[in-house]
């Protein structure tokens, strides 16, 4: 299957630059994943498509303000550090710009000495391993000095950092938000629970690799980035209960889906597990556990669009995207949503 099979032409003005004031007032394109038939709705209408006994699976990861701006000690040259993956108590794998100013041994200063780091090593794809030096509480420092690492297609900083978090964000560690979850409010989740729908939380820390373009023509040659996930016993019990009682497991976002498909057994059940996943889902993949998916509209030729195409059929998905463009839906992280079921 070729990369060009997942291309579509998106007008720039349809890329949402800001979240809506009311999270659940986004538009919702409900799609029958078998037939491709669709309905235009509002996101809060999702309740009408859920049934008692279903299990909605959310990703409770929390985005950290992972973008730091500082200077190179000695020269004062401006430098940017993006936290990618924690490798120790005070060590991180990072992306540093400009890289040529960040050789091993270089010391960087953030916030006039409040936080410093030393470049220890250069690793895969030019990423830097750094060791931080600070006094006080790391999370408080990061909240004070860091900025949200918004996707490259968002052209300005958010006024309210919390709008790039889900209302149920809990476990810190993501460099990007699980954006399908941004549409849920606490009130909507309570209404869904009151219907007899279980809500299970899993964790997958989203890496910036989610925005990395596919550079090979034959998509099977693409190598996925790795991301850390956790599925606990409580989530497994809710998911297994839904499956055994004839309910549906509906994933909120591609990250929850990748977590569940990484942890699921061939018989469609799931056990507690954690670890790193590099699962790459594209058309032809046989799903083990998922029955439905809530997701935003994804970039052309992206691995996320390939995943959605695997779930609902490439022809169905590309036709639905064409309809969304025609109807002026808002695209990408702060955009509108689809329910594929």
């Amino acid at each position: 299957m070729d990369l060009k099979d997942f291309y579509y032409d998106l007008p720039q003005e349809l890329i949402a630059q800001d979240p809506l004031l009311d999270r659940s007032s986004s538009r919702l394109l409900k799609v029958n994943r078998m037939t491709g038939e669709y309905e235009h709705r509002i996101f809060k209408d999702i309740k009408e498509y859920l049934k008692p006994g279903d299990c909605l699976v959310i990703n409770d990861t929390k985005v950290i303000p992972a973008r730091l701006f500082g200077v190179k000690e000695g020269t004062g040259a401006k430098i940017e550090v993006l936290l990618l993956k924690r490798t120790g108590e005070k060590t991180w794998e990072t992306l540093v710009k400009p890289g040529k100013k960040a050789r091993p041994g270089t010391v960087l200063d953030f916030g006039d000495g409040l936080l410093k780091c030393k470049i220890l090593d250069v690793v895969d794809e030019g990423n830097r391993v750094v060791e931080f030096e600070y006094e006080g509480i790391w999370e408080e420092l990061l909240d004070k000095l860091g900025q949200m690492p918004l996707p490259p297609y968002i052209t300005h900083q958010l006024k309210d950092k919390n709008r790039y978090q889900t209302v149920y964000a809990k476990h810190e560690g993501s460099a990007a938000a699980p954006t399908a979850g941004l549409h849920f409010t606490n009130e909507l989740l309570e209404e869904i629970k009151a219907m007899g729908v279980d809500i299970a939380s899993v964790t997958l820390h989203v890496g910036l690799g989610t925005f990395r373009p596919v550079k090979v023509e034959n998509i099977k040659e693409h190598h996925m980035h790795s991301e850390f996930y956790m599925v606990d016993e409580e989530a497994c019990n809710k998911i297994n209960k839904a499956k055994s009682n004839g309910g549906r497991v509906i994933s909120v976002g591609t990250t929850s889906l990748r977590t569940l498909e990484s942890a699921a057994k061939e018989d469609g059940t799931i056990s507690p597990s954690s670890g790193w996943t590099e699962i790459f889902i594209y058309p032809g993949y046989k799903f083990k556990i998922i029955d439905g998916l809530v997701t935003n509209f994804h970039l052309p030729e992206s691995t996320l669009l390939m995943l959605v195409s695997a779930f609902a059929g490439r022809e169905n998905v590309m036709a639905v995207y064409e309809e969304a463009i025609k109807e002026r839906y808002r695209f990408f992280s702060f955009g509108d949503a689809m329910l594929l079921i």
Side-chain angles (χ1 to χ4, degrees), residues 33 243 247-251 289-293 311 340-341:
R33 72 183 185 99
K243 295 300 273 190
R248 300 168 300 175
V249 174
I250 299 161
S251 171
I289 200 165
I290 291 297
D291 303 299
L293 172 65
F311 188 65
L340 301 148
I341 208 161

Side-chain angles (χ1 to χ4, degrees), residues 65 137-148 161:
I137 299 169
W138 166 252
E139 289 78 13
E140 289 179 2
L141 271 174
L142 200 57
D143 195 51
K144 181 176 183 176
L145 299 173
Q147 293 184 9
M148 282 298 186
K161 287 181 184 178

